[in-house]
Amino acid sequence: MYYRFNGFTQRLVGAGASAAYTPQGLKPVLSVESPPLIFGTPTKVASEAPPTVEFFWKNKVPELQKLFQKPDGVPVHLKRGLPDQLLYRTTMALTIGGTIYCLIALYMAAQPKRQN
């Protein structure tokens, strides 16, 4: 005799062989044919694809690796020269200016209003 788990009563109940070997909620496969295509666009087989991929730009990674890994004592965020220096100095100026502005706003908010 075969048994299966009854989800309603939460107990084992007697069952036939096909019901015992099929998990609940799953049905046995009826056909092995693939479903019909919804979008029947032609596809390329991997062997038909071109052997190499063409890029629009040259790969700059090896050059940049040499530049950034050179032991010249310059921090990494300043290795590319003038553009990096301008970005760094602009960021520092905005950070210091924002800190000063916040301190002034905090000071003004801490002062009581004057009564006329």
Side-chain angles (χ1 to χ4, degrees), residues 55-101:
F55 294 104
F56 292 112
W57 295 284
K58 180 183 162 192
N59 187 5
K60 296 180 182 179
V61 173
E63 297 169 7
L64 292 175
Q65 283 178 339
K66 289 177 186 175
L67 173 70
F68 288 124
Q69 292 176 357
K70 187 175 14 171
D72 54 1
V74 178
V76 173
H77 60 277
L78 297 175
K79 288 252 185 182
R80 293 182 75 187
L82 186 63
D84 284 347
Q85 289 176 0
L86 290 175
L87 284 172
Y88 178 75
R89 290 180 181 160
T90 303
T91 303
M92 287 297 111
L94 288 172
T95 303
I96 292 169
T99 303
I100 291 171
Y101 178 76

Coordinates of all heavy atoms in Angstrom, one line a residue, residues 55-101:
F55 N 35.2 46.8 -31.0 CA 34.9 47.9 -30.1 C 35.1 49.2 -30.8 O 35.9 49.3 -31.7 CB 35.7 47.9 -28.8 CG 35.4 46.7 -28.0 CD1 36.2 45.6 -27.9 CD2 34.2 46.6 -27.2 CE1 36.0 44.5 -27.2 CE2 33.9 45.5 -26.5 CZ 34.8 44.5 -26.4
F56 N 34.4 50.3 -30.4 CA 34.6 51.6 -31.0 C 35.9 52.2 -30.5 O 36.5 53.0 -31.3 CB 33.4 52.5 -30.7 CG 32.2 52.0 -31.4 CD1 31.1 51.5 -30.7 CD2 32.1 52.1 -32.8 CE1 30.0 51.1 -31.4 CE2 30.9 51.7 -33.5 CZ 29.9 51.2 -32.7
W57 N 36.2 52.0 -29.3 CA 37.4 52.6 -28.7 C 38.5 51.6 -28.3 O 38.2 50.5 -28.1 CB 37.0 53.4 -27.4 CG 36.1 54.5 -27.7 CD1 36.4 55.7 -28.3 CD2 34.6 54.5 -27.5 NE1 35.3 56.5 -28.4 CE2 34.2 55.8 -28.0 CE3 33.7 53.6 -27.0 CZ2 32.9 56.2 -27.9 CZ3 32.4 54.0 -27.0 CH2 32.0 55.3 -27.4
K58 N 39.7 52.1 -28.2 CA 40.8 51.3 -27.8 C 40.7 51.0 -26.3 O 40.3 51.8 -25.5 CB 42.1 52.0 -28.1 CG 43.3 51.3 -27.8 CD 44.5 52.2 -28.1 CE 45.7 51.7 -27.3 NZ 46.8 52.6 -27.3
N59 N 41.1 49.8 -25.9 CA 41.1 49.4 -24.5 C 42.2 50.2 -23.8 O 43.4 50.0 -24.0 CB 41.3 47.9 -24.4 CG 41.2 47.4 -22.9 OD1 40.8 48.2 -22.1 ND2 41.4 46.2 -22.7
K60 N 41.8 51.1 -22.8 CA 42.8 51.9 -22.1 C 43.1 51.3 -20.7 O 43.9 52.0 -20.0 CB 42.1 53.3 -21.9 CG 41.9 54.0 -23.2 CD 41.3 55.4 -22.9 CE 41.0 56.2 -24.1 NZ 40.4 57.5 -23.8
V61 N 42.6 50.2 -20.4 CA 42.8 49.7 -19.0 C 44.3 49.4 -18.8 O 44.8 49.7 -17.7 CB 42.0 48.4 -18.8 CG1 42.3 47.7 -17.5 CG2 40.5 48.8 -18.8
P62 N 45.0 48.7 -19.7 CA 46.5 48.5 -19.4 C 47.3 49.8 -19.2 O 48.1 49.8 -18.3 CB 47.0 47.7 -20.6 CG 45.7 47.1 -21.2 CD 44.6 48.0 -20.9
E63 N 47.0 50.8 -20.0 CA 47.7 52.1 -19.8 C 47.4 52.7 -18.5 O 48.3 53.2 -17.8 CB 47.3 53.0 -20.9 CG 47.7 52.5 -22.3 CD 47.1 53.4 -23.4 OE1 46.4 54.4 -23.1 OE2 47.2 53.0 -24.6
L64 N 46.1 52.7 -18.1 CA 45.7 53.3 -16.8 C 46.3 52.5 -15.6 O 46.6 53.0 -14.6 CB 44.2 53.4 -16.7 CG 43.5 54.4 -17.7 CD1 42.0 54.3 -17.6 CD2 44.0 55.8 -17.4
Q65 N 46.4 51.1 -15.8 CA 47.0 50.3 -14.7 C 48.4 50.7 -14.5 O 48.9 50.9 -13.4 CB 46.8 48.9 -15.0 CG 45.5 48.3 -14.8 CD 45.4 46.8 -15.2 OE1 46.2 46.3 -15.9 NE2 44.4 46.1 -14.6
K66 N 49.1 50.9 -15.6 CA 50.5 51.3 -15.5 C 50.6 52.7 -14.8 O 51.5 52.9 -14.0 CB 51.2 51.4 -16.9 CG 51.4 50.0 -17.5 CD 52.0 50.2 -18.9 CE 52.1 48.8 -19.5 NZ 52.6 48.9 -20.9
L67 N 49.7 53.6 -15.2 CA 49.8 55.0 -14.6 C 49.5 54.9 -13.1 O 50.2 55.6 -12.3 CB 48.8 55.9 -15.3 CG 48.5 57.3 -14.8 CD1 49.8 58.1 -15.0 CD2 47.3 57.9 -15.3
F68 N 48.4 54.2 -12.7 CA 48.0 54.3 -11.3 C 48.9 53.4 -10.4 O 48.9 53.6 -9.2 CB 46.5 53.8 -11.2 CG 45.6 54.8 -11.7 CD1 44.7 54.5 -12.7 CD2 45.6 56.1 -11.2 CE1 43.8 55.4 -13.1 CE2 44.7 57.1 -11.7 CZ 43.8 56.7 -12.6
Q69 N 49.6 52.4 -10.9 CA 50.4 51.6 -10.1 C 51.9 52.0 -10.1 O 52.7 51.4 -9.4 CB 50.3 50.1 -10.6 CG 49.0 49.5 -10.4 CD 48.8 48.1 -11.0 OE1 49.8 47.6 -11.6 NE2 47.7 47.5 -10.8
K70 N 52.2 53.1 -10.7 CA 53.6 53.6 -10.7 C 53.9 54.2 -9.3 O 53.2 55.0 -8.8 CB 53.7 54.7 -11.8 CG 55.1 55.2 -12.0 CD 55.3 56.2 -13.1 CE 54.1 56.8 -13.6 NZ 54.3 57.9 -14.5
P71 N 55.0 53.8 -8.7 CA 55.3 54.2 -7.4 C 56.1 55.6 -7.4 O 57.3 55.6 -7.2 CB 56.2 53.1 -6.8 CG 56.9 52.6 -8.0 CD 55.9 52.7 -9.1
D72 N 55.3 56.7 -7.6 CA 55.9 58.0 -7.7 C 55.6 58.9 -6.5 O 55.9 60.0 -6.4 CB 55.6 58.7 -9.0 CG 54.1 58.8 -9.2 OD1 53.3 58.3 -8.3 OD2 53.7 59.3 -10.2
G73 N 54.9 58.3 -5.5 CA 54.6 59.1 -4.3 C 53.4 60.0 -4.4 O 53.0 60.7 -3.4
V74 N 52.7 60.0 -5.5 CA 51.5 60.9 -5.7 C 50.3 60.0 -5.3 O 50.2 58.9 -5.7 CB 51.4 61.3 -7.2 CG1 50.2 62.2 -7.4 CG2 52.6 62.1 -7.6
P75 N 49.3 60.6 -4.6 CA 48.1 59.9 -4.2 C 47.3 59.5 -5.5 O 47.4 60.1 -6.5 CB 47.3 60.8 -3.4 CG 48.3 61.9 -2.9 CD 49.4 61.9 -3.9
V76 N 46.6 58.4 -5.4 CA 45.9 57.8 -6.6 C 44.9 58.8 -7.1 O 44.7 59.0 -8.3 CB 45.2 56.5 -6.2 CG1 44.3 56.0 -7.3 CG2 46.2 55.5 -5.8
H77 N 44.2 59.6 -6.2 CA 43.2 60.5 -6.7 C 43.8 61.8 -7.4 O 43.1 62.6 -7.8 CB 42.3 60.9 -5.5 CG 43.0 61.6 -4.4 ND1 43.6 60.9 -3.4 CD2 43.1 62.9 -4.1 CE1 44.1 61.8 -2.5 NE2 43.9 63.0 -2.9
L78 N 45.1 61.9 -7.4 CA 45.8 63.0 -8.1 C 46.7 62.6 -9.2 O 47.4 63.4 -9.8 CB 46.5 63.9 -7.1 CG 45.7 64.5 -6.0 CD1 46.6 65.2 -5.0 CD2 44.7 65.5 -6.6
K79 N 46.7 61.3 -9.6 CA 47.7 60.8 -10.6 C 47.5 61.3 -12.0 O 48.4 61.3 -12.7 CB 47.6 59.2 -10.6 CG 48.1 58.6 -9.4 CD 49.4 57.9 -9.7 CE 49.9 57.2 -8.4 NZ 51.1 56.5 -8.6
R80 N 46.3 61.7 -12.4 CA 46.1 62.1 -13.8 C 46.4 63.6 -14.0 O 46.1 64.1 -15.1 CB 44.7 61.7 -14.2 CG 44.5 60.2 -14.2 CD 43.2 59.8 -14.7 NE 43.0 60.0 -16.1 CZ 41.9 59.8 -16.7 NH1 40.8 59.5 -16.1 NH2 41.8 60.0 -18.0
G81 N 46.9 64.3 -13.0 CA 47.4 65.6 -13.3 C 46.4 66.7 -13.0 O 45.6 66.7 -12.0
L82 N 46.3 67.7 -13.9 CA 45.6 69.0 -13.7 C 44.1 68.7 -13.5 O 43.5 69.3 -12.6 CB 45.8 70.0 -14.8 CG 45.2 71.3 -14.6 CD1 45.8 72.0 -13.4 CD2 45.4 72.2 -15.9
P83 N 43.4 67.9 -14.3 CA 42.0 67.7 -14.1 C 41.7 67.1 -12.7 O 40.7 67.6 -12.0 CB 41.6 66.7 -15.1 CG 42.6 66.8 -16.2 CD 43.8 67.2 -15.5
D84 N 42.5 66.2 -12.2 CA 42.3 65.7 -10.9 C 42.5 66.7 -9.8 O 41.8 66.8 -8.8 CB 43.2 64.4 -10.6 CG 42.7 63.2 -11.3 OD1 41.5 63.2 -11.8 OD2 43.4 62.2 -11.4
Q85 N 43.5 67.5 -10.0 CA 43.8 68.6 -9.0 C 42.7 69.6 -8.9 O 42.3 70.0 -7.8 CB 45.1 69.3 -9.4 CG 46.4 68.5 -9.2 CD 47.6 69.2 -9.6 OE1 47.6 70.3 -10.1 NE2 48.8 68.5 -9.5
L86 N 42.1 70.0 -10.1 CA 41.0 70.9 -10.1 C 39.8 70.3 -9.4 O 39.1 71.0 -8.6 CB 40.6 71.3 -11.5 CG 41.6 72.2 -12.3 CD1 41.2 72.4 -13.7 CD2 41.7 73.5 -11.6
L87 N 39.5 69.0 -9.7 CA 38.3 68.4 -9.0 C 38.6 68.3 -7.5 O 37.7 68.6 -6.7 CB 38.1 67.0 -9.6 CG 37.4 66.9 -10.9 CD1 37.5 65.5 -11.5 CD2 36.0 67.4 -10.9
Y88 N 39.8 68.0 -7.1 CA 40.1 67.8 -5.7 C 40.0 69.2 -5.0 O 39.3 69.3 -3.9 CB 41.5 67.3 -5.5 CG 41.9 67.1 -4.1 CD1 41.4 66.1 -3.3 CD2 42.9 68.0 -3.6 CE1 41.9 66.0 -2.0 CE2 43.3 67.9 -2.2 CZ 42.8 66.9 -1.5 OH 43.2 66.8 -0.2
R89 N 40.5 70.2 -5.6 CA 40.5 71.5 -4.9 C 39.1 72.1 -4.9 O 38.7 72.7 -3.9 CB 41.5 72.5 -5.6 CG 42.9 72.1 -5.4 CD 43.9 73.0 -6.0 NE 45.2 72.6 -5.7 CZ 46.3 72.9 -6.4 NH1 46.1 73.7 -7.5 NH2 47.5 72.4 -6.1
T90 N 38.3 71.9 -5.9 CA 36.9 72.3 -6.0 C 36.1 71.6 -4.9 O 35.3 72.2 -4.1 CB 36.3 72.1 -7.3 OG1 37.0 72.7 -8.3 CG2 34.8 72.5 -7.4
T91 N 36.3 70.3 -4.7 CA 35.6 69.5 -3.7 C 36.0 70.0 -2.3 O 35.1 70.2 -1.4 CB 36.0 68.0 -3.8 OG1 35.6 67.6 -5.2 CG2 35.2 67.2 -2.8
M92 N 37.3 70.3 -2.1 CA 37.7 70.8 -0.8 C 37.1 72.2 -0.5 O 36.7 72.4 0.6 CB 39.2 70.8 -0.7 CG 39.9 69.5 -0.6 SD 39.4 68.6 0.9 CE 38.5 67.3 0.3
A93 N 37.1 73.0 -1.5 CA 36.6 74.4 -1.3 C 35.1 74.3 -1.0 O 34.6 75.0 -0.1 CB 36.8 75.2 -2.5
L94 N 34.3 73.5 -1.7 CA 32.9 73.4 -1.4 C 32.6 72.7 0.0 O 31.7 73.1 0.7 CB 32.2 72.5 -2.5 CG 32.1 73.2 -3.9 CD1 31.6 72.2 -4.9 CD2 31.1 74.4 -3.8
T95 N 33.5 71.8 0.4 CA 33.3 71.2 1.7 C 33.6 72.2 2.8 O 32.8 72.3 3.8 CB 34.3 70.0 1.8 OG1 34.0 69.1 0.8 CG2 34.1 69.3 3.1
I96 N 34.7 72.9 2.7 CA 35.0 73.9 3.7 C 34.0 75.1 3.7 O 33.5 75.5 4.8 CB 36.4 74.5 3.5 CG1 37.4 73.4 3.7 CG2 36.7 75.7 4.4 CD1 38.9 73.7 3.3
G97 N 33.5 75.5 2.5 CA 32.5 76.6 2.5 C 31.2 76.1 3.1 O 30.5 76.8 3.8
G98 N 30.8 74.9 2.8 CA 29.6 74.3 3.3 C 29.6 74.2 4.9 O 28.7 74.4 5.6
T99 N 30.8 73.8 5.4 CA 31.0 73.7 6.8 C 30.8 75.0 7.5 O 30.2 75.2 8.5 CB 32.3 73.0 7.1 OG1 32.4 71.8 6.5 CG2 32.5 72.9 8.6
I100 N 31.5 76.0 6.9 CA 31.4 77.4 7.5 C 30.0 77.9 7.4 O 29.5 78.5 8.4 CB 32.4 78.3 6.7 CG1 33.8 78.0 7.0 CG2 32.1 79.8 7.1 CD1 34.9 78.7 6.2
Y101 N 29.3 77.7 6.3 CA 27.9 78.1 6.2 C 27.0 77.4 7.2 O 26.1 78.1 7.8 CB 27.4 77.8 4.8 CG 25.9 78.2 4.5 CD1 25.6 79.5 4.4 CD2 24.9 77.2 4.5 CE1 24.2 79.9 4.2 CE2 23.6 77.6 4.3 CZ 23.3 78.9 4.2 OH 22.0 79.2 4.0

